[in-house]
Amino acid sequence: MNSEEFKSIWLPLSGRFYRVAFYILESQEDAEDAVQDLFSRLWKMRDSLGSVKNPVAFGITVIRNICLDKIRSKQANRTIKPASEVFESVPDPEADLNASLIGKQNLEKIRSCMARLPDKQREVLESRVFKGLSFQEIANRTGMSEVNVRVKLSNARKNLKRMIEHEDD
């Protein structure tokens, strides 16, 4: 199959493939990656694509498998820590209390500085850092554009850094 045949048969189906990927992955970025991966795989096997009778069904099957592989790999990355690692990460109650006090003081300093941030900056920073929301999710919740969310987050980080540095002086 040459490039013109490939383009005429497979590229018009990209919207369908994207919708299937988005439905499965529930993420625009992941769905776009999956569709790109699909077309990469299809291009590599273009010589044998001539025997495919139903390109839609074939493509949807392949994109579904790609999406399931992505989900499985994300779940595999969330491995359970061995008990030895968990116990190593638990601080020893007899350990240096000064380090613990310094950590609490730093945390209190950060919290007090965050409380002084403008409302929107604080909201965006908390959503991104503590809740782990994407820029799109924050934009949907706050009614701002994604670009505006990024700007607010950047400004919040700069302001927080400046406040913390001035408190140290």
Side-chain angles (χ1 to χ4, degrees), residues 27-86:
S27 164
Q28 178 181 352
E29 295 86 13
D30 290 343
E32 289 170 354
D33 289 345
V35 172
Q36 187 170 0
D37 191 17
L38 168 71
F39 278 106
S40 175
R41 289 183 189 189
L42 289 173
W43 181 250
K44 287 177 185 172
M45 57 189 288
R46 67 184 175 274
D47 294 332
S48 61
L49 289 177
S51 63
V52 173
K53 294 178 184 172
N54 188 343
V56 174
F58 182 80
I60 288 175
T61 300
V62 174
I63 195 77
R64 182 183 60 87
N65 291 337
I66 290 170
C67 293
L68 293 176
D69 288 344
K70 284 185 174 292
I71 291 170
R72 284 186 195 114
S73 70
K74 282 183 182 179
Q75 289 174 347
N77 290 338
R78 291 188 217 157
T79 57
I80 298 173
K81 290 183 180 180
S84 59
E85 285 182 33
V86 173

Side-chain angles (χ1 to χ4, degrees), residues 36 40 55 86 92 102 110 119 126 128 132 161:
Q36 187 170 0
S40 175
V86 173
D92 182 10
I102 290 171
I110 292 170
D119 290 339
E126 288 173 349
R128 182 71 177 168
K161 181 179 178 184

Side-chain angles (χ1 to χ4, degrees), residues 1 8 44 64 82 95 112 114 123-124 133 146 148:
M1 175 176 287
S8 68
K44 287 177 185 172
R64 182 183 60 87
S112 71
M114 280 185 71
E123 180 183 2
V124 168
L133 299 178
E146 284 186 52
N148 199 2

Side-chain angles (χ1 to χ4, degrees), residues 124 135 138-139 142 144-153:
V124 168
F135 293 115
I138 297 170
T142 61
M144 294 187 276
S145 69
E146 284 186 52
V147 172
N148 199 2
V149 168
R150 290 176 193 267
V151 170
K152 293 279 186 203
L153 181 62

